[in-house]
Amino acid sequence: MTVLPQLDQLVAACHWIGAKGWAPATGGNMSVRQDDSYCLLSESGKDKGSLTRDDFIQVEIASNRAPSGRTPSAETGLHTLIYRLFPQAGAVLHTHTVNSTVLSRVEKGAALVLQGYEMQKTLAGQQSHLDSVSIALFDNDQDIDALSQRIAQFAQQTPLRYGFLLRGHGLTCWGKDVNEAKRHLEGLEFLFLCEMQRRLLEAK
Ligand SMILES: CSCCC(=O)C(=O)COP(=O)(O)O
Ligand SMILES: [Zn+2]
């Protein structure tokens, strides 16, 4: 495998995610783009908070195939879809947090709309709390090919930015590199926590 500084940053991001409790048990998966044709994806079933460089498997973006024969994430198809849809995407992070899991069930619509928060500006291109940020929300599915097709169809009609929520499952987000994907993850998780608290308090 070629030396890839982004992979070291991804390993560090995985440890940070683990320390935050955002990938409990074996939940979550992470990847980095290697080039136009390949990405490096976390091995399925591992504790993502204690991954090393050797736990990342090369996967062909077009076919989801791992030339090594090892088993990458069960959600490989979602990572490769993002790399196909967004040539600028350099890293993808998928986490299982309590807030994304619960909020994605409480919100019955096709998107979680965030508005009025200064922290929206952690998301690339956002400049004001007055704008609305729409995070697409898809029903979860054990059939990742079917889920990927549903997301791809949605993306043909509606711009997908930053990430999407899977109902009762978690958040998948991306960025131009590991640093930006990590900032989007941290920003979105902060916004989800605010939105949970707001909905709880305003319901009283
Ligand atoms: C116990 S977590 C269920 C699978 C999942 O949603 C996940 O994020 C981890 O799957 P992987 O194959 O990447 O370990
Ligand atoms: Zn998952």
Side-chain angles (χ1 to χ4, degrees), residues 157-170:
Q157 317 290 334
T158 317
L160 258 185
R161 287 193 81 183
Y162 315 118
F164 53 77
L165 283 161
L166 299 177
R167 195 163 267 117
H169 182 162

Side-chain angles (χ1 to χ4, degrees), residues 42 65 76 82 91 125 164-166 186 191 200:
S42 50
R65 291 214 183 89
T76 288
I82 292 162
F164 53 77
L165 283 161
L166 299 177
E186 192 167 25
L191 293 165
L200 274 170

Side-chain angles (χ1 to χ4, degrees), residues 57-182:
I57 299 170
Q58 190 186 44
V59 172
E60 192 179 31
I61 291 168
S63 68
N64 294 337
R65 291 214 183 89
S68 64
R70 289 167 67 196
T71 308
S73 172
E75 293 162 4
T76 288
L78 299 179
H79 290 249
T80 56
L81 172 68
I82 292 162
Y83 292 124
R84 284 195 300 275
L85 285 177
F86 308 113
Q88 310 90 325
V92 179
L93 303 174
H94 166 65
T95 50
H96 290 188
T97 67
V98 173
N99 289 320
S100 63
T101 301
V102 175
L103 201 49
S104 62
R105 295 192 63 177
V106 170
E107 173 57 62
K108 307 294 184 202
L112 179 72
V113 180
L114 302 161
Q115 200 271 331
Y117 299 109
E118 181 68 11
M119 282 286 280
Q120 289 166 212
K121 288 158 59 184
T122 58
L123 305 172
Q126 295 297 320
Q127 294 183 335
S128 171
H129 65 289
L130 297 174
D131 294 331
S132 291
V133 176
S134 185
I135 302 298
L137 214 172
F138 301 98
D139 287 338
N140 196 26
D141 199 324
Q142 298 305 319
D143 182 339
I144 296 297
D145 286 344
L147 180 54
S148 308
Q149 279 177 30
R150 221 171 348 115
I151 297 171
Q153 277 167 10
F154 174 92
Q156 282 178 353
Q157 317 290 334
T158 317
L160 258 185
R161 287 193 81 183
Y162 315 118
F164 53 77
L165 283 161
L166 299 177
R167 195 163 267 117
H169 182 162
L171 171 70
T172 300
C173 67
W174 57 89
K176 65 180 183 206
D177 53 21
V178 172
N179 216 28
E180 186 174 84
K182 192 173 164 243

